[in-house]
Amino acid sequence: MAEDTPPIVELAEWFQTPPGQYALAWERAQFDAAVADVFGYYAWQVGLADVNLLRANRMPFKGYVGTETPAPDSLAGWQSRVVVAQPEALPFESQSVDLLILPHAFECTTQPHNVLREVERVLVPEGRVVISGFNPWSMWGARTRMPGMEPWLPQPPSSQVSLPRLKDWFKLLSLEVDESQFGCYAPACRSEKWLQRWSFLESAGARWWSLGGAIYMVSAVKRVTGMRIIGPAWKTKPKRARAASVVVNRQADDGFGPS
């Protein structure tokens, strides 16, 4: 791929390959299960414009925000609820979003700390974030680090954030992990035929090598100390997370400190 290709574009292109399709099928199933019973008013997907991972959610407003605009055939699926912006500088009011999902967002930015700070800022109390990422300690991660071989994953290991590290970042904010899991235990095969032959490892790997899946998914809830919710939070009138097709050039400061 060209050196100047944005990471999110490289990721989208990789998802068209057999191993990418294998990984995307697992992620779709996990996102569907994670968001199906999350209620509120406003849900946003950050990144991967042409893969709608909010399809199973039933909120009245579901939109996309990211650096790339959806293709024309994907735009209809978002009902034109599209905002062009950097994930580390989300153009939403504080405490205005009920659900955020970030497929591989940390691997497609140079400021992962700022992305997470923005997530915490825009979520309402008891709002939820669901994140997926590559596991650098899996067989796929090891294959990517092998010297002299063509890279296996679309992003280098240096851009990947492991799940234990991400959980440590959550502890610095008001985000409480309530579920996490790994998937895609097949070896690094390029053909769909061989990936399917190794599919039996999905159940075996989850049982015997639970931390070795190529992809992880984690869900967390924003907790506010001393807050007491009476009745369903989504019944109160929320701050409006406005949707418009705009380009945002807001600059974000990294207040997270060095990585």
Side-chain angles (χ1 to χ4, degrees):
M1 296 181 183
E3 291 184 3
D4 58 349
T5 303
I8 191 66
V9 174
E10 291 185 347
L11 179 64
E13 292 176 353
W14 181 82
F15 273 132
Q16 302 303 313
T17 67
Q21 288 289 297
Y22 169 70
L24 184 59
W26 182 84
E27 291 195 47
R28 280 188 184 276
Q30 305 312 310
F31 273 110
D32 284 352
V35 306
D37 295 324
V38 181
F39 299 100
Y41 283 95
Y42 301 111
W44 288 92
Q45 175 175 315
V46 183
L48 285 184
D50 296 323
V51 183
N52 189 336
L53 297 171
L54 283 170
R55 61 184 184 178
N57 185 261
R58 291 169 282 178
M59 290 189 195
F61 182 99
K62 293 180 287 186
Y64 160 81
V65 56
T67 57
E68 303 297 321
T69 57
D73 56 344
S74 300
L75 188 60
W78 293 114
Q79 299 180 0
S80 297
R81 295 165 173 173
V82 171
V83 173
V84 178
Q86 297 290 338
E88 56 268 24
L90 297 174
F92 306 136
E93 293 183 21
S94 298
Q95 300 188 22
S96 64
V97 179
D98 300 282
L99 171 64
L100 275 175
I101 65 171
L102 293 89
H104 299 273
F106 295 138
E107 295 144 16
C108 299
T109 180
T110 58
Q111 303 178 62
H113 293 156
N114 280 346
V115 172
L116 196 58
R117 277 201 175 278
E118 282 292 88
V119 167
E120 193 275 339
R121 179 185 68 81
V122 304
L123 280 178
V124 300
E126 303 300 307
R128 182 176 296 273
V129 58
V130 186
I131 299 170
S132 67
F134 291 116
N135 176 17
W137 311 118
S138 66
M139 287 191 290
W140 290 19
R143 166 67 174 75
T144 301
R145 292 192 297 272
M146 289 182 178
M149 298 190 71
E150 182 182 355
W152 176 253
L153 295 174
Q155 277 80 42
S158 59
S159 69
Q160 297 166 15
V161 179
S162 68
L163 183 56
R165 185 182 181 192
L166 181 54
K167 288 182 176 180
D168 285 340
W169 291 357
F170 282 162
K171 292 177 182 178
L172 300 176
L173 299 170
S174 304
L175 300 171
E176 180 181 300
V177 175
D178 64 351
E179 186 178 0
S180 63
Q181 54 192 316
F182 291 87
C184 298
Y185 292 89
C189 303
R190 293 196 181 277
S191 73
E192 181 181 358
K193 175 182 176 181
W194 280 102
L195 286 167
Q196 293 302 320
R197 286 189 176 183
W198 287 104
S199 61
F200 70 91
L201 288 179
E202 287 304 311
S203 56
R207 181 176 181 182
W208 301 109
W209 191 32
S210 61
L211 302 182
I215 313 287
Y216 67 78
M217 177 92 55
V218 59
S219 173
V221 176
K222 179 178 176 178
R223 305 295 190 191
V224 178
T225 304
M227 178 180 174
R228 182 180 180 185
I229 295 179
I230 302 176
W234 53 269
K235 287 188 177 180
T236 60
K237 185 176 180 180
K239 295 180 180 179
R240 181 172 176 79
R242 299 183 62 86
S245 298
V246 297
V247 178
V248 176
N249 294 317
R250 176 180 153 209
Q251 297 295 320
D253 295 325
D254 186 350
F256 223 102
S259 12

